[in-house]
Amino acid sequence: MMPEQNRSEPTVTAMLREACEAPQVVARLLESNAALCRDLGARLRAAPPPFAVTCARGSSDNAATFAKYLLEIHSGLVTASVGPSVTSVYAARPRMRDALFLAVSQSGRSPDILHLAQAGRDDGALTVALVNDTTSPLASTCEVVLPLHAGPEKSVAATKSFIAALAASLQLVAHWSQDRNLLTALDQLPEALDKAAALDWSTALPLLTQADDLFVVGRGVGFAMAQEAALKLKETSGIHAEAMSSAELMHGPWTLAGDHFPILILSQHDETLSGVNDLVTKLNDQNVPVIVAGAAEGPAKVMLPSVEGIHPFIAPITLIQSFYPLVNAIAQARGRDPDNPPRLRKVTETV
């Protein structure tokens, strides 16, 4: 759903347009990939992998974090993010026989991702590419391809392709586990994203526009959204934002927060909620400016609306959908073009 523009609103950039396409992208992905995920799920049930490996960079690596939590929480599968430089720079060959290897990429063209994917396939891993460009070298390298169906994405900052990667991971896990509740929730995801895109998070704009340093906090399946939000604040808005687990924050880093160092908390209604609520209260007691989005409650400087009554695995995806229009506005309020961040290109090829 594209927000209507008026004089008080920021310019509709390519980033904002593409972010608002995400509900339709996800609907297309869920329909187009259903048979692929059913077949792959049956294969994984027939020959369960001993562990899983993820391989990605940038926003795609944030999506891989989401997949890691899904696999470990829902499937009980130990999942490791392997550094691509292990093969591309150090020429090592990690043992990945019989593992599930998930490569996540928009372009599918970064040499280091390709090196690790080829090493995984050569060693006998089941290599699966979650990739937007199905003509890419990564798609050719991996045994199974789950297309992201995001279409062309012209803004340097990835939005719809990131959300598509989240949905693809969730669809794979849902069909693998044959969890009826999760499959039903998956069917509801496009509508939930549409609602999330229409929510107004502008009350956070003044505080975040003035910040030069920021923690973005999440936990569990929501931590990937904290990583993604922090990355977007860096690349589009020039804000030094750091993703932090709500548990890790209390081990020392929260001493940095204060009047000019706010905290954005993203939360979902699951087993992590009690601890996140305690954190909100403690931060408020220390006079730290806190912005809360999602299920968390308690005293906060800004409380942002969220889509309610949804599965805790899809709730984090709706939060990042609501965040993208906000970060688009923050960038422009700080005099930056979110479509063309300084020194960045759409496709980054690292060795």
Side-chain angles (χ1 to χ4, degrees):
M1 180 180 296
M2 176 67 68
E4 293 184 6
Q5 187 180 359
N6 59 45
R7 291 183 181 179
S8 65
E9 292 179 340
T11 301
V12 177
T13 59
M15 175 185 171
L16 182 58
R17 265 195 316 274
E18 290 166 356
C20 291
E21 292 171 8
Q24 290 72 43
V25 167
V26 169
R28 183 165 60 243
L29 179 150
L30 295 179
E31 180 179 3
S32 299
N33 289 4
L36 287 169
C37 286
R38 280 195 297 269
D39 291 345
L40 182 55
R43 180 174 177 179
L44 290 166
R45 288 193 303 275
F51 63 96
V53 170
T54 67
C55 173
R57 295 284 193 195
S59 284
S60 295
D61 198 32
N62 299 336
T65 297
F66 183 66
K68 170 185 169 67
Y69 274 95
L70 290 176
L71 290 169
E72 292 186 339
I73 293 169
H74 197 61
S75 306
L77 192 68
V78 172
T79 303
S81 172
V82 176
S85 63
V86 166
T87 56
S88 65
V89 175
Y90 293 99
R93 287 294 180 266
R95 290 185 291 274
M96 294 182 276
R97 179 165 300 278
D98 299 325
L100 171 63
F101 182 100
L102 293 178
V104 188
S105 177
Q106 298 155 42
S107 70
R109 298 182 185 280
S110 189
D112 52 355
I113 304 295
L114 295 170
H115 272 287
L116 188 57
Q118 187 63 60
R121 187 161 188 180
D122 289 346
D123 197 46
L126 171 55
T127 51
V128 179
L130 280 61
V131 63
N132 198 36
D133 185 352
T134 56
T135 67
S136 65
L138 182 63
S140 301
T141 299
C142 291
E143 183 178 351
V144 178
V145 177
L146 297 179
L148 298 183
H149 297 284
E153 191 174 52
K154 298 187 177 179
S155 179
V156 169
T159 54
K160 61 179 179 176
S161 63
F162 173 75
I163 290 177
L166 302 177
S169 300
L170 190 57
Q171 187 178 32
L172 171 57
V173 170
H175 282 285
W176 182 2
S177 65
Q178 296 183 308
D179 182 327
R180 299 310 308 174
N181 289 334
L182 191 53
L183 287 165
T184 298
L186 199 64
D187 289 340
Q188 298 167 347
L189 180 55
E191 181 183 358
L193 289 172
D194 207 35
K195 292 177 180 177
L199 294 177
D200 183 4
W201 279 21
S202 62
T203 52
L205 186 59
L207 182 58
L208 294 180
T209 298
Q210 296 169 14
D212 287 322
D213 300 284
L214 173 73
F215 283 136
V216 187
V217 172
R219 196 168 188 193
V221 290
F223 182 58
M225 311 312 138
Q227 291 180 313
E228 172 66 5
L231 176 60
K232 287 295 181 287
L233 286 162
K234 290 187 189 85
E235 68 182 355
T236 70
S237 305
I239 296 174
H240 178 224
E242 183 178 358
M244 187 71 59
S245 160
S246 59
E248 293 295 339
L249 187 72
M250 302 305 296
H251 282 271
W254 76 317
T255 60
L256 293 171
D259 288 344
H260 303 291
F261 199 128
I263 295 180
L264 170 61
I265 295 179
L266 306 176
S267 58
Q268 65 279 347
H269 200 290
D270 66 3
E271 292 84 348
T272 65
L273 184 56
S274 175
V276 173
N277 284 338
D278 289 344
L279 175 64
V280 173
T281 299
K282 289 176 182 177
L283 292 171
N284 182 71
D285 290 344
Q286 296 294 319
N287 298 314
V288 174
V290 177
I291 301 168
V292 170
E297 298 176 347
K301 189 174 182 67
V302 178
M303 297 291 294
L304 298 175
S306 60
V307 181
E308 298 180 354
I310 55 178
H311 195 288
F313 284 1
I314 72 169
I317 310 178
T318 66
L319 292 179
I320 204 66
Q321 177 76 77
S322 298
F323 171 80
Y324 285 142
L326 172 62
V327 77
N328 176 76
I330 293 169
Q332 293 185 54
R334 290 170 66 90
R336 297 169 70 101
D337 177 3
D339 288 338
N340 296 289
R343 296 183 294 278
L344 293 181
R345 296 182 302 166
K346 182 60 182 173
V347 178
T348 303
E349 296 185 0
T350 49
V351 177

